[in-house]
Amino acid sequence: MTSFSMAEPRHPAAGSAPSPCQDHCTARIMALTRGIVRLGASLQPSCGRAAFHPSARAPLLLGHAQVLLGGLRLQHSAPQSNKCQWQLKEDCFELTYGGLVMHFDYVWLRDHCRSASCYNAKTNQRNLDTANVELTIRPAKTRVDDETLFLTWPDGHITRYGLAWLAQNSYEGQKKSAVQPRILWDSDTYTNAKISSISWEKFMSCDDELKNFLRNFLLYGIAFVDGVPATLEDTEILTQRVSLIRETMYGRMWSFTSDFSRGDTAYTKLALDRHTDTSYFQEPCGMQVFHCLRHEGTGGRTLLVDGFHAASKVLEQSPENFELLSRIPIKHEYIENMRDHRNHMIGIGPVLNVYPWNNEVYMIRYNNYDRAVINTVPYNVVQRWYVAHRELTMELRKPQNELWVKLKPGKVLFVDNWRVLHGRESFTGLRQLCGCYLTRDDVLNTARSLGLEV
Ligand SMILES: C[N+](C)(C)CCCC[C@H](N)C(=O)O
Ligand SMILES: O=C(O)CCC(=O)C(=O)O
Ligand SMILES: [Fe+2]
C-alpha cells in the first residue's frame, strides 16, 4: 500500500525558471509519449528537482498514462506540445502533462488564480472572494504553451498556471504520495537501522544535526538524545529547540513518580500496557518527551510499538477491519477528582484516523485504559468493531513489534504520540520521570524551517 510505504520526499514547488533537470525530464516525457518507457521502469530523477515532473513522484502512473495517451479522444482540444494535451470537457478541464492525466473543476481553476488581484503573493493569502465566482463558470479562451496554461475568463480576466504547478497541486498528482513519509518498523528493523542517538551538545548547537534528528524522528516516530543533564530545566531547554510546549492539566513540564498524586495509573509502580496518551483530548498531544531523572530499583523499562506498522498489517490482512477502525467514532475520557476541582476531558474520534484520499493513517488513538463507553453505534456494529480492535491489538502485541528500552538519566526520548504507542514494565524503588507534551504543528514547523519536506 503506497500510503504505508516510504514515499519519495515531497519537493518544493518548482518555480517557472528552467531547472537543470528539465531536459532530462523532457526526454523522458517524450519517450513516454512515444511509448518506449517500459511499465515499471524507474523514473527516479537524476537530479534533486525532478519532482516537478509528476510521474517522478508517482512512477506507477506511467503504465496507465501510456494506455490513456494511446487511446485519447480529444474534443475541443489542441495538442499544444509533445508533452501536454488538454480538452475542455463538459464538467472539467482535462490536462495531460508529464504522463499524468488530470481533471480540474472550472470553479477550482478560477478560485486558484494566482494573479496579483486574486492572490497576495506577499502574504500567501487569497484575495479573491470565492463566493463571487459563478458556479457555472467556464473559460472563454484557452491557450497552452510549453510550461503555462492561460485561461481567459468571461469577464476578460486572464489566469496563468504553471503546468508543473498544476501537476503538483492536482488531485491525481497528490493522491499517491504520502503526506507524511514514514518507515514502518518492528523491533528488528528499527534496531538494524542503527539510528544513532544525537548528543546533547550537537542537538543544542548544530542545525544540521537537529535536522537529521527531526528527519529520523518523523520517519520512525521515535528519537533519542544522549548526554542531557538530568534536570527538568535542561529537559525543558532541550525541547524548546524543537517546539513550543503544549501545556495540559498535568502542567507545562511535568515530573512524576509513583506517589499517586494524580488519579491515573501512570502515577503508580504498575505495568502499563501500550497506549497513546491524551486520547481523551479532541486533539491528542502530538509528541511526548520522557526523561528518566532517576531510578533506584528494578524493572521500569519502556515499551515502544509502531502503531502505523500494526495498522498497515490490519489493512493488508482485513481491509474491512481497517475500515471499521477508521470509521467508528470512539470516545475516550479522563475523569479526575482533585482536591479543589475536577478534570473531565472527552475526546471523540476513530482509532485510526486516515486521510480519505489516500487511506494514509495520520493518527492512532489507542488507549484501552481511557476508552469510554461505546454508544455511538448499534450492537451489531459494536460486535464487528471488537473483532477489528482485537486484530489490531494482536498486531500491537506481537513480541517482534515490541521495542524495549531502559531510560536512564541523560537519555531523552521523543515519541510521536500520534503514531508510536508507549508502555512500561512494572518497577520497584524510586523512579522519577520528567517530560512534556509538544505541539505537533510546531515540531513540523521547525522541521520545515530546516528544509525538511513534511
Ligand atoms: C505523562 N503524564 C504522566 C503527565 C500523564 C500521564 C497521562 C496518563 C493518561 N492515562 C494518558 O494516557 O493520557
Ligand atoms: O512511566 C512511564 O515510563 C510512562 C508512563 C506513561 O505512560 C506516561 O507517563 O504517559
Ligand atoms: Fe502514557
Side-chain angles (χ1 to χ4, degrees):
M1 250 337 223
T2 326
S3 57
F4 285 107
S5 61
M6 172 57 194
E8 275 296 293
R10 294 185 303 146
H11 293 263
S16 48
S19 74
C21 58
Q22 198 160 323
D23 286 350
H24 170 79
C25 293
T26 308
R28 281 183 173 278
I29 294 160
M30 306 272 285
L32 168 65
T33 52
R34 289 197 303 268
I36 59 169
V37 175
R38 278 190 314 280
L39 181 58
S42 165
L43 253 197
Q44 288 314 308
S46 61
C47 62
R49 292 193 58 208
F52 114 116
H53 175 289
S55 54
R57 278 200 300 154
L60 284 176
L61 288 169
L62 258 178
H64 188 55
Q66 273 175 283
V67 174
L68 285 177
L69 280 169
L72 261 188
R73 279 175 328 205
L74 302 179
Q75 312 156 347
H76 313 295
S77 68
Q80 302 296 314
S81 75
N82 278 337
K83 60 177 178 179
C84 166
Q85 295 183 328
W86 55 268
Q87 55 180 319
L88 292 165
K89 292 198 151 182
E90 180 62 24
D91 59 347
C92 70
F93 180 78
E94 185 181 280
L95 177 70
T96 304
Y97 173 72
L100 186 63
V101 183
M102 298 165 269
H103 300 90
F104 299 97
D105 171 66
Y106 292 114
V107 179
W108 186 99
L109 285 165
R110 183 65 191 87
D111 186 43
H112 288 77
C113 178
R114 269 18 184 177
S115 70
S117 60
C118 296
Y119 190 78
N120 184 338
K122 278 213 187 81
T123 64
N124 295 303
Q125 287 178 299
R126 178 178 284 102
N127 269 346
L128 166 120
D129 181 5
T130 306
N132 280 339
V133 177
E134 205 55 67
L135 290 174
T136 53
I137 196 166
R138 298 281 179 278
K141 245 168 56 194
T142 307
R143 183 167 73 81
V144 179
D145 74 12
D146 255 12
E147 294 302 330
T148 315
L149 163 69
F150 302 83
L151 296 183
T152 308
W153 299 103
D155 65 358
H157 185 79
I158 297 176
T159 307
R160 311 153 53 104
Y161 313 84
L163 296 179
W165 184 91
L166 283 173
Q168 256 172 357
N169 290 285
S170 66
Y171 173 70
E172 289 86 350
Q174 172 75 15
K175 70 173 178 184
K176 294 250 172 197
S177 55
V179 174
Q180 169 99 50
R182 70 225 22 205
I183 296 175
L184 304 178
W185 51 267
D186 59 20
S187 156
D188 277 354
T189 46
Y190 183 77
T191 313
N192 294 338
K194 297 213 180 338
I195 314 292
S196 48
S197 306
I198 174 176
S199 76
W200 147 260
E201 291 83 13
K202 284 187 179 150
F203 187 95
M204 294 309 295
S205 61
C206 175
D207 281 359
D208 274 350
E209 297 279 348
L210 181 65
K211 178 176 177 181
N212 204 26
F213 169 89
L214 283 173
R215 181 187 291 115
N216 284 327
F217 178 46
L218 296 171
L219 281 176
Y220 291 95
I222 50 173
F224 298 89
V225 188
D226 276 335
V228 183
T231 70
L232 179 135
E233 291 72 26
D234 287 297
T235 312
E236 178 173 9
I237 294 170
L238 173 93
T239 61
Q240 283 172 332
R241 181 125 162 88
V242 171
S243 164
L244 295 175
I245 292 169
R246 177 157 172 197
E247 190 165 352
T248 64
M249 72 275 193
Y250 300 111
R252 215 176 101 79
M253 292 298 294
W254 29 257
S255 170
F256 69 100
T257 182
S258 49
D259 58 4
F260 211 64
S261 60
R262 305 292 298 260
D264 193 281
T265 12
Y267 297 75
T268 67
K269 289 182 161 59
L270 299 172
L272 289 176
D273 191 25
R274 62 223 72 199
H275 64 275
T276 53
D277 267 27
T278 63
S279 328
Y280 39 77
F281 286 174
Q282 205 49 44
E283 190 200 274
C285 292
M287 320 282 181
Q288 175 152 220
V289 177
F290 286 117
H291 190 180
C292 183
L293 299 179
R294 62 195 280 213
H295 184 200
E296 290 129 28
T298 58
R301 283 179 311 158
T302 296
L303 167 63
L304 297 163
V305 180
D306 185 358
F308 288 1
H309 176 66
S312 78
K313 292 290 178 194
V314 174
L315 177 62
E316 238 170 76
Q317 294 153 15
S318 12
E320 67 289 358
N321 286 345
F322 180 93
E323 165 97 4
L324 277 161
L325 292 170
S326 65
R327 292 225 172 199
I328 308 228
I330 294 294
K331 208 186 282 180
H332 288 79
E333 197 168 26
Y334 181 88
I335 305 173
E336 181 189 31
N337 290 306
M338 304 281 284
R339 224 185 337 205
D340 51 356
H341 71 285
R342 180 178 149 96
N343 288 315
H344 191 172
M345 302 292 180
I346 298 178
I348 302 175
V351 172
L352 302 178
N353 294 259
V354 304
Y355 294 126
W357 64 90
N358 65 359
N359 239 7
E360 172 181 340
V361 181
Y362 65 87
M363 177 173 78
I364 176 165
R365 212 187 262 265
Y366 184 99
N367 190 320
N368 210 47
Y369 302 109
D370 296 334
R371 188 160 49 72
V373 170
I374 304 179
N375 59 2
T376 45
V377 279
Y379 77 93
N380 52 336
V381 183
V382 170
Q383 251 164 32
R384 291 162 51 211
W385 184 85
Y386 277 118
V387 171
H389 183 260
R390 182 67 51 90
E391 184 174 351
L392 178 64
T393 300
M394 288 312 172
E395 279 306 325
L396 291 167
R397 289 192 183 171
K398 284 188 176 158
Q400 70 262 31
N401 292 335
E402 299 182 337
L403 182 71
W404 287 95
V405 284
K406 175 70 185 162
L407 297 181
K408 300 213 167 87
K411 192 179 196 64
V412 173
L413 164 64
F414 284 69
V415 183
D416 182 342
N417 187 54
W418 280 21
R419 168 177 176 185
V420 174
L421 287 71
H422 64 277
R424 72 154 185 241
E425 197 178 27
S426 65
F427 62 92
T428 66
L430 176 67
R431 180 172 178 271
Q432 194 177 15
L433 229 66
C434 83
C436 60
Y437 295 114
L438 303 180
T439 313
R440 189 184 186 81
D441 288 320
D442 292 306
V443 177
L444 295 174
N445 186 34
T446 304
R448 289 181 197 117
S449 77
L450 290 169
L452 291 173
E453 280 145 24
V454 287

